[in-house]
Amino acid sequence: MEGKAKFSEIEPPISTAAPTPPPWIDLPDALTANILQRLSAEDILERVQEVCTTWWRVSKNLPTWRVLELDIHRYGGSHFKRFYTRAVDRSQGELTDLKVYCYRKKDLLDYVVKRSSKLLRLTLVDCNYKATDLAKAIKKLPQLEELHLIMWSAVSPEEVANIGISCPTLKSFQYIKYWDEARLHAENQYWNEDRSEFEDADEEYGVAIGKSMPNLRHLQPWGLKMTNEGLEAILNGCPHLESLNLRQCRGLVLQWDLVKRCKRIKDLKLPIYCTSDFSRQVQTT
C-alpha cells in the first residue's frame, strides 16, 4: 500500500514554528496514555507518534503493545511485515495476546516466538503456515493458555498432540480447517459432502486431544474426524471442560450413554447443531 507513512524510531523534533505548544502536551502522562491506547496499533505507528515528542514518548510504553491484532488486509501486504515487526518490538517482551489475520510466512511467527516468551493467547486466522513449522514454534511457548487455529493448512493429530504436550497449561483450543469449512458453509452442505479427498480416514483428533490436553476448559474441534472412542478420550482426558463444540465433526454415532456424559458440559454443541454463525465466528474469534 504505497503512500503509507513510514515508521520512525527517532524522536520527532519539537516544532519552533508554533508560538505556543499545543494544549495536550500539558496533560498528565497517565491521561494521555488512556487516550492513546484506545487507538489501533496501526494508527499509533503511522500517525500518533509523529504528532509531538510527548505523544511519541508515551506511545512507546502503552498497554496496547501487550495485546495486538494484526490484519494484513487492514494494513496492506507490501508493508505488513515491517509494521508487524515494529509492533512486536514495541511490546518489549511483554506481549500476552496476539491475533494475526492472513499471512503466509513462518518467519513472522518465529519473530514473535523469539521475543514473546510471556505469550498467553495466540490466534491465527486464515494463515497458511506449515503444520510442522507451527508445532515447532508453539513448542517454544510453554505458557500458552489459549490457541485458536482457523487455517488453510492441515494440522495432523500427531501435531495436535505435540502442541498439547508442549503447552501443559493450555485451557482453550480451537481448530478449524478454514478452507474446507468455508466451502461447505457456502454450499450449505453438511453430511452429504464426500470429504475423503481432504482428510486421511485414519486420523483421530479426539484421542490426541484427550491424551495431551488435560487442563482444557474450552474445546472446539470444528469439522474434524471424531469417532465415539475419540470423544470418550476427550471426556476422560479433559475432566474440566466447560464448553465443547462438536459441530461438523464426522464419524460420531452418539448413543444415549455418550450423550448423557456430554450433557454434563455447561456449553455443548453437537454435530447436528446449526452452523449459520460460522462466518461471523471466524471474524470475531
Side-chain angles (χ1 to χ4, degrees), residues 39-277:
L39 303 174
S40 69
E42 291 98 329
D43 285 335
I44 294 171
L45 284 175
E46 291 179 10
R47 304 177 184 89
V48 168
Q49 68 174 15
E50 305 295 334
V51 171
C52 63
T53 55
T54 299
W55 283 18
W56 180 86
R57 174 174 51 79
V58 173
S59 70
K60 297 279 282 188
N61 298 299
L62 289 176
T64 298
W65 309 115
R66 298 176 195 153
V67 180
L68 293 175
E69 182 173 319
L70 309 177
D71 188 346
I72 196 171
H73 292 122
R74 201 167 63 217
Y75 186 74
S78 60
H79 294 282
F80 183 73
K81 183 174 181 178
R82 180 172 171 81
F83 163 69
Y84 181 107
T85 54
R86 287 288 187 271
V88 172
D89 288 343
R90 283 291 179 91
S91 70
Q92 301 178 59
E94 297 297 320
L95 183 62
T96 60
D97 194 330
L98 175 64
K99 185 181 293 186
V100 182
Y101 290 85
C102 193
Y103 204 73
R104 304 291 189 261
K105 296 183 179 180
K106 81 177 187 71
D107 58 335
L108 292 191
L109 186 58
D110 291 340
Y111 193 86
V112 169
V113 168
K114 291 177 181 177
R115 293 160 177 80
S116 308
S117 61
K118 297 181 180 180
L119 196 65
L120 300 177
R121 290 168 289 277
L122 175 62
T123 301
L124 302 176
V125 180
D126 195 11
C127 295
N128 193 23
Y129 297 114
K130 288 183 179 179
T132 51
D133 294 333
L134 176 66
K136 287 179 182 178
I138 293 176
K139 187 176 182 179
K140 301 174 184 177
L141 299 171
Q143 298 187 59
L144 206 63
E145 295 182 358
E146 296 183 18
L147 178 60
H148 306 276
L149 304 176
I150 304 171
M151 303 177 63
W152 291 75
S153 54
V155 181
S156 72
E158 181 181 1
E159 286 151 350
V160 167
N162 289 336
I163 289 172
I165 293 169
S166 301
C167 306
T169 60
L170 200 64
K171 294 181 175 64
S172 179
F173 180 62
Q174 176 189 46
Y175 173 37
I176 298 176
K177 293 176 67 174
Y178 179 64
W179 54 276
D180 189 11
E181 298 308 324
R183 179 178 61 81
L184 289 181
H185 177 73
E187 296 178 5
N188 196 28
Q189 295 182 17
Y190 298 97
W191 300 100
N192 296 326
E193 183 77 10
D194 180 7
R195 300 162 73 169
S196 59
E197 60 181 304
F198 301 114
E199 290 189 359
D200 187 331
D202 293 331
E203 289 184 338
E204 183 44 83
Y205 290 91
V207 173
I209 292 169
K211 287 184 175 180
S212 66
M213 302 181 182
N215 293 309
L216 281 184
R217 267 66 174 176
H218 309 283
L219 174 61
Q220 183 175 0
W222 181 297
L224 301 182
K225 176 178 172 57
M226 188 78 64
T227 63
N228 285 15
E229 290 76 13
L231 179 54
E232 287 178 353
I234 290 173
L235 297 175
N236 293 332
C238 309
H240 307 295
L241 277 180
E242 299 172 13
S243 68
L244 176 60
N245 190 335
L246 297 171
R247 288 187 292 178
Q248 292 286 348
C249 290
R250 287 96 51 223
L252 288 171
V253 182
L254 294 177
Q255 299 172 341
W256 172 243
D257 288 345
L258 195 52
V259 173
K260 188 176 180 180
R261 289 190 66 188
C262 290
K263 287 290 185 179
R264 297 174 184 174
I265 298 172
K266 185 185 303 183
D267 182 7
L268 174 67
K269 291 181 174 62
L270 297 175
I272 59 173
Y273 280 29
C274 178
T275 60
S276 61
D277 65 336

Side-chain angles (χ1 to χ4, degrees), residues 26-41:
D26 296 325
L27 291 175
D29 283 0
L31 181 56
T32 301
N34 184 279
I35 295 170
L36 298 185
Q37 71 185 32
R38 301 167 191 267
L39 303 174
S40 69

